[in-house]
Amino acid sequence: AWKSPTRSRSDMSTASGTRTFKVSVEGNIASGKSTFLDYFNLSPDVEVRTEPVEKWRNLHGHNMLALLYKDPTRWALSLQTYVQLTMLQMHTKPHERPITIMERSIFSARHCFVENLYHSGKMPTPEYIVLDEWYQWLVANTDVHVDLIVYLRTRPEVCLARMYERDRKEENKVPLAYLNGLHELHENWLVRQVTVKPPAPVLVLDANSNMSDMEHVMEEYREKIMGRS
Ligand code: DCP
């Protein structure tokens, strides 16, 4: 389903005068973003920018992601402040190829992850406001635009199974309730569109199937995702 276009193709010029098409791939934890990005990474026209999770796991020797899951109330603000910085860096890095596909965005960090931490009582209101003030300023004063959002829509139970299967040590105690909360926020934002308006048209893909089925889906939508149809 295509939703609410906000930006025309003619807006896509960059400082260097060339055009680029920027896509963000959104979805719950372990929804299959990496597989999706691996597929497009094979195309010579596409630059893939993966989520800077390795930076979050090693900030001058500190594992911020592990701290978040160990004691969210204490560390949510620190991690999400750093996530916001690394997302900003990912958005604003000069593009190298005509199409840039990014894993998540500054938008989902704010509207899904920060929102989830706040609404589940893990982030006090003053901290939430500080992050939001930063977010609002960055969106208004820097170029973080995207031209298309691809939403990998996955049932939280499927994500939970994939998360346990991949066995990332920081995530071994993440409960289904946390994934449910993130799922509802993605749905409200990208499908129901009842919270904030998405910053670009949204392509919703069913990502519950196994990887070979996903390959067919990606093949089918390939041209659309690369901004060519
Ligand atoms: N995370 C967070 N806050 C954000 C973004 C991410 O706390 N604003 C956390 C959630 C995960 C970890 O960072 O524990 C990495 O995110 P994903 O699991 O979504 O990234 P993957 O690369 O593992 O995704 P996928 O399995 O879809 O490929």
Side-chain angles (χ1 to χ4, degrees):
W2 287 90
K3 303 267 164 93
S4 65
T6 52
R7 198 178 174 87
S8 77
R9 297 285 296 274
S10 57
D11 293 336
M12 284 179 247
S13 56
T14 64
S16 62
T18 55
R19 282 173 161 206
T20 180
F21 190 74
K22 279 194 176 174
V23 183
S24 83
V25 182
E26 308 288 0
N28 209 337
I29 298 172
S31 54
K33 297 180 296 298
S34 308
T35 312
F36 181 93
L37 293 168
D38 286 348
Y39 174 85
F40 285 96
N41 213 3
L42 298 173
S43 166
D45 284 348
V46 176
E47 182 195 348
V48 164
R49 293 186 181 167
T50 52
E51 193 173 47
V53 61
E54 287 317 311
K55 288 188 180 177
W56 312 336
R57 298 173 97 182
N58 183 4
L59 174 61
H60 296 229
H62 300 277
N63 188 334
M64 303 302 291
L65 193 63
L67 290 173
L68 171 81
Y69 287 129
K70 208 170 127 208
D71 187 354
T73 313
R74 169 66 185 84
W75 292 105
L77 176 69
S78 309
L79 174 75
Q80 294 304 332
T81 301
Y82 188 50
V83 168
Q84 189 154 260
L85 171 65
T86 56
M87 287 296 177
L88 177 68
Q89 289 167 334
M90 185 165 80
H91 279 274
T92 56
K93 195 172 155 233
H95 73 275
E96 286 163 10
R97 297 188 188 177
I99 301 153
T100 305
I101 305 186
M102 300 186 295
E103 185 172 9
R104 292 225 175 94
S105 63
I106 197 166
F107 306 108
S108 50
R110 169 65 186 85
H111 300 305
C112 301
F113 284 87
V114 171
E115 204 64 16
N116 190 40
L117 290 162
Y118 176 59
H119 285 291
S120 58
K122 296 183 182 75
M123 183 180 283
T125 307
E127 295 185 351
Y128 173 73
I129 295 171
V130 169
L131 265 177
D132 186 56
E133 288 280 315
W134 264 110
Y135 170 80
Q136 299 297 344
W137 190 91
L138 291 169
V139 168
N141 293 284
T142 64
D143 181 4
V144 290
H145 87 269
V146 293
D147 300 296
L148 174 69
I149 293 177
V150 177
Y151 173 36
L152 300 183
R153 191 182 200 190
T154 317
R155 286 194 305 279
E157 293 77 10
V158 172
C159 293
L160 189 75
R162 288 180 187 163
M163 198 176 71
Y164 285 159
E165 200 174 312
R166 82 172 169 208
D167 199 23
R168 194 181 267 158
K169 73 175 183 333
E170 292 86 349
E171 294 169 343
N172 62 10
K173 291 204 172 66
V174 175
L176 182 61
Y178 194 76
L179 300 182
N180 280 334
L182 282 170
H183 177 72
E184 284 307 308
L185 288 162
H186 278 88
E187 293 284 304
N188 284 344
W189 177 44
L190 299 174
V191 178
R192 300 182 197 116
Q193 304 201 356
V194 289
T195 49
V196 285
K197 199 167 177 276
V202 180
L203 175 64
V204 182
L205 300 183
D206 181 340
N208 288 300
S209 342
N210 61 32
M211 292 312 157
S212 62
D213 286 350
M214 275 313 289
E215 247 180 54
H216 295 304
V217 174
M218 293 185 285
E219 198 56 61
E220 185 182 343
Y221 288 99
R222 191 187 155 83
E223 293 303 299
K224 225 170 223 180
I225 291 164
M226 300 194 8
R228 290 173 178 160
S229 70

